């Protein structure tokens, strides 16, 4: 059961309207690594979680917090759009640099949402459910969550430097702080799961090769922990192969039926 509370998690108050910034903020709302993605990712992982209840509770707690972050960003976008008009779109387009880089105001903020946030990225591409990862393997999912928070925090930090609006920056600072803590949470969960089950996903499948194949010019790739020493789980030692040799066969595919129209030289092909 979910219950909506009218107060936002943190205060959202902009200094002045800025439709161009509203368009940019759409990326951290409905983009691949936006708040809608982490909200849905954590909630679906929580909905489907089996096993220890504490992991389900953590996923649901953070996923529910992200619902609040989505509302905060929608509120932020709405405030930045206050007073926007079609004339603003035309005015922005007068500057060739702005028109080329940003394309002016997002027209969908005027035509579709009535000066509100949209479930789209900064280019107007709709949010997509394929952005989320919910595999049922806790370690795999927690690592994906850490990656999502890395990318999301990076984008918010970039947006922070794209505005001088102290009200907007205050909201971003709160989001950056929460994203930092969420990274710590996923890192702690990952460490706990690795201690229980090992570092490889899935842990239940036996290991085989530990060879690092050098497939680029030079041998610089051999100067790293991934090429020398022991595997993190202690199950074997890495071997650096400076000049790897292919171990498989040369593929010799059968000639397809003529009805498939592969444009093959039939006489030459039949003599293979």
């Amino acid at each position: 059961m979910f219950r909506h509370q009218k107060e936002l998690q943190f205060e959202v108050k902009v200094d002045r309207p800025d439709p161009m910034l509203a368009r940019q903020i759409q990326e951290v709302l409905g983009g691949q690594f936006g708040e809608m993605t982490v909200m849905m990712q954590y909630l679906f992982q929580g909905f489907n979680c089996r096993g220890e209840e504490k992991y389900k509770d953590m996923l649901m707690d953070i996923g529910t917090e992200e619902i609040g972050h989505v509302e905060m960003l929608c509120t932020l976008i709405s405030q930045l759009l206050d007073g926007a008009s079609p004339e603003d779109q035309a005015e922005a387009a007068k500057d060739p640099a702005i028109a080329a880089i940003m394309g002016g105001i997002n027209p969908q903020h005027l035509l579709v949402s009535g000066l509100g946030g949209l479930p789209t990225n900064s280019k107007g591409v709709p949010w997509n459910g394929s952005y989320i990862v919910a595999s049922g393997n806790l370690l795999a999912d927690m690592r994906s969550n850490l990656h999502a928070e890395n990318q999301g925090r990076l984008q918010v930090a970039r947006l922070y430097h794209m505005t001088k609006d102290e009200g907007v920056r205050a909201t971003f600072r709160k989001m950056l702080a929460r994203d930092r803590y969420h990274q710590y949470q996923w890192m702690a969960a990952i460490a706990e799961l690795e201690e229980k089950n090992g570092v490889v996903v899935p842990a239940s499948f036996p290991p085989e090769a530990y060879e690092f194949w050098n497939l680029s010019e030079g041998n610089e790739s051999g100067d790293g922990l991934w090429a020398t020493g022991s595997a993190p789980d202690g199950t074997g030692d890495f071997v650096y192969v400076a000049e790897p040799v292919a171990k498989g066969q040369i593929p010799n595919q059968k000639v397809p039926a003529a009805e498939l129209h592969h444009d093959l030289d039939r006489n030459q092909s039949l003599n293979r």
Side-chain angles (χ1 to χ4, degrees):
M1 181 176 72
F2 289 88
R3 182 177 181 274
H4 179 257
Q5 183 171 322
K6 293 182 179 181
E7 294 84 3
L8 298 175
Q9 183 178 8
F10 301 110
E11 183 180 24
V12 176
K13 186 177 181 181
V14 307
D15 291 349
R16 65 191 65 84
D18 188 341
M20 292 283 287
L21 181 60
R23 176 175 186 159
Q24 297 165 34
I25 291 174
Q26 281 288 157
E27 191 65 34
V28 294
L29 173 60
Q32 182 179 0
F33 300 108
E35 296 296 312
M36 286 185 62
T37 293
V38 291
M39 173 188 76
M40 295 292 281
Q41 180 157 308
Y42 304 162
L43 289 177
F44 269 86
Q45 289 175 6
F47 295 150
N48 300 329
C49 186
R50 301 166 186 262
E52 290 190 60
E53 191 71 15
K54 67 177 182 179
Y55 295 116
K56 181 182 181 73
D57 279 359
M58 179 178 68
L59 287 163
M60 296 303 298
D61 286 344
I62 303 176
T64 303
E65 180 181 352
E66 300 295 359
I67 299 176
H69 291 180
V70 169
E71 184 177 16
M72 286 172 58
L73 285 178
C74 286
T75 303
L76 185 64
I77 289 171
S78 293
Q79 290 184 10
L80 289 169
L81 290 171
D82 281 346
S85 68
E87 288 75 20
D88 295 324
Q89 171 81 9
E91 185 66 27
K94 289 181 181 179
D95 185 328
I98 293 178
I101 297 171
M102 296 303 302
I105 300 169
N106 182 353
Q108 289 197 329
H109 280 155
L110 299 171
L111 301 172
V112 178
S113 67
L115 306 183
L118 291 158
T120 66
N121 68 11
S122 55
K123 299 293 288 185
V125 178
W127 183 85
N128 194 311
S130 66
Y131 294 158
I132 75 169
V133 174
S135 70
N137 182 292
L138 280 173
L139 181 53
D141 285 350
M142 299 299 181
R143 286 175 174 166
S144 180
N145 296 349
L146 179 58
H147 170 250
E149 292 285 355
N150 292 166
Q151 295 294 334
R153 189 169 191 265
L154 175 62
Q155 292 181 357
V156 172
R158 287 170 172 165
L159 275 170
Y160 181 89
H161 294 291
M162 293 170 69
T163 180
K164 300 300 183 184
D165 189 310
E166 284 303 318
V168 175
R169 282 188 157 194
T171 299
F172 285 164
R173 281 195 293 269
K174 295 294 194 302
M175 293 182 62
L176 288 164
R178 294 308 297 165
D179 287 348
R180 184 187 188 96
Y181 182 59
H182 289 165
Q183 288 186 40
Y184 290 148
Q185 290 178 305
W186 301 130
M187 290 167 69
I190 288 167
E192 184 174 296
L193 289 165
E194 288 179 344
E195 187 174 350
K196 290 180 180 180
N197 301 320
V199 299
V200 177
V201 176
S204 55
F205 199 85
E208 290 187 12
Y210 291 93
E211 295 179 345
F212 183 96
W213 285 23
N214 176 34
L215 296 171
S216 57
E217 291 185 359
N219 296 304
E220 288 80 4
S221 59
D223 297 331
L225 295 177
W226 54 84
T228 59
S230 298
D233 56 7
T235 56
D237 294 325
F238 296 137
V239 177
Y240 182 76
V241 182
E243 298 181 4
V245 177
K247 299 178 180 179
Q249 80 278 21
I250 298 175
N252 188 12
Q253 312 292 9
K254 293 183 179 180
V255 176
E259 291 82 358
L260 292 178
H261 304 287
H262 274 267
D263 293 332
L264 296 171
D265 184 333
R266 298 290 297 176
N267 292 328
Q268 182 180 350
S269 300
L270 292 173
N271 291 328
R272 286 172 63 187

